[in-house]
């Protein structure tokens, strides 16, 4: 069984965010629409195209940062693709003001613990592990440690229900765009 976690973009969505892709200056924005990761001056390692996945339900966390005590951190292993299901994509819908400005956040303590565990990828069903001015520094901190954050995952509830507590295989294929700051990616979970 395969579950596509990629948010499906429409022409209308591209027009809304880019005002047409032919316009100058829109190339960088294109890489940050829908399911993508921020490159942060690094290259995506080909071995990250297929990793063991783990998903954690943190949808009950409200009005505070998500912490390592909110899920079974002991289950996280080196080079895992760790996914956090908050329900934000389902609740607010991609592209809305609350989705971009009021989304959940991972605490810096949790981010540091995931770095210490040497995970490969961190996936979230919202717009970034930190908001506003803290977004890019958190992404850079992870990238500097060989970890990439994939934002705007879709269908995480479906994956959570199908996978339960077991591991699964994650397939991640970013576009090969030169000079881009963000790379749109196709993200597929494969369950045995």
């Amino acid at each position: 069984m395969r579950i596509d976690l990629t948010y499906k973009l429409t022409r209308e969505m591209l027009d809304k965010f880019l005002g047409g892709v032919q316009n100058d200056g829109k190339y960088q924005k294109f890489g940050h629409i829908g399911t993508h990761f921020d490159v942060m001056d690094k290259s995506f390692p080909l071995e990250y195209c297929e990793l063991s996945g783990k998903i954690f339900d943190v949808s009950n966390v409200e009005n505070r940062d998500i912490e390592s005590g909110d899920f079974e951190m002991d289950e996280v292993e080196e080079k895992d693709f760790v996914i956090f299901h908050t329900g934000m994509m389902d609740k607010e819908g991609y592209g809305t003001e609350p989705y971009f400005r009021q989304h959940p956040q991972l605490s810096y303590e949790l981010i540091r613990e995931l770095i210490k565990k040497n995970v490969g990828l961190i996936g979230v069903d919202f717009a970034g592990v930190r908001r506003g001015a803290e977004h890019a520094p958190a992404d850079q901190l992870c990238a500097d440690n060989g970890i990439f954050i994939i934002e705007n995952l879709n269908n995480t509830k479906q994956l959570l229900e199908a996978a339960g507590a077991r591991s699964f295989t994650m397939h991640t294929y970013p576009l090969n765009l030169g000079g881009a700051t963000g790379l749109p990616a196709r993200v597929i979970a494969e369950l045995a």
Side-chain angles (χ1 to χ4, degrees):
M1 171 183 185
R2 290 185 176 93
I3 299 172
D4 192 345
L5 303 180
T6 312
Y7 183 79
K8 186 174 186 174
L9 293 174
T10 64
R11 182 181 196 103
E12 292 78 21
M13 183 86 40
L14 291 174
D15 285 344
K16 174 183 174 182
F17 287 108
L18 301 178
V21 292
Q22 296 83 4
N23 296 346
D24 285 340
K26 303 300 181 183
Y27 181 70
Q28 294 300 340
K29 259 189 172 178
F30 169 73
H32 296 273
I33 297 175
T35 305
H36 73 279
F37 72 91
D38 296 336
V39 182
M40 308 312 292
D41 73 356
K42 307 295 181 197
S43 295
F44 185 82
L46 289 180
E47 60 268 20
Y48 284 16
C49 289
E50 187 174 299
L51 295 175
S52 177
K54 304 257 175 55
I55 186 167
F56 299 100
D57 185 358
V58 291
S59 59
N60 63 330
V61 177
E62 295 182 1
N63 303 316
R64 64 173 177 80
D65 290 351
I66 298 165
E67 302 283 351
S68 59
D70 293 323
F71 64 99
E72 297 297 327
M73 185 69 163
D74 291 343
E75 294 179 14
V76 175
E77 298 178 38
E78 185 174 350
K79 294 302 176 215
D80 273 351
F81 184 147
V82 180
I83 300 169
F84 294 99
H85 166 74
T86 66
M88 188 68 176
M89 177 75 78
D90 299 326
K91 179 181 169 188
E92 295 296 339
Y94 178 78
T96 64
E97 185 76 15
Y99 183 85
F100 286 128
R101 303 224 185 269
Q102 299 167 11
H103 62 77
Q105 300 188 107
L106 303 186
S107 72
Y108 274 108
E109 172 263 337
L110 172 54
I111 292 168
R112 283 190 289 276
E113 285 193 43
L114 291 169
I115 290 169
K116 189 185 282 187
K117 289 246 184 190
N118 197 26
V119 302
L121 299 171
I122 300 169
V124 294
D125 64 346
F126 49 91
V129 296
R130 300 294 297 172
R131 289 186 224 112
E134 295 181 8
H135 183 123
D139 285 356
Q140 189 69 59
L141 175 64
C142 289
D144 287 345
N145 285 279
I147 300 165
F148 293 102
I149 298 166
I150 298 188
E151 303 165 353
N152 307 314
L153 291 176
N154 198 25
N155 299 323
T156 56
K157 184 175 182 181
Q158 181 184 358
L159 175 60
L160 184 66
E161 291 169 352
R166 63 191 166 119
S167 294
F168 43 88
T169 301
M170 290 298 303
H171 302 276
T172 307
Y173 302 100
L175 291 181
N176 193 8
L177 299 176
T181 58
L183 297 178
R186 190 75 185 258
V187 181
I188 309 290
E190 182 177 6
L191 291 80

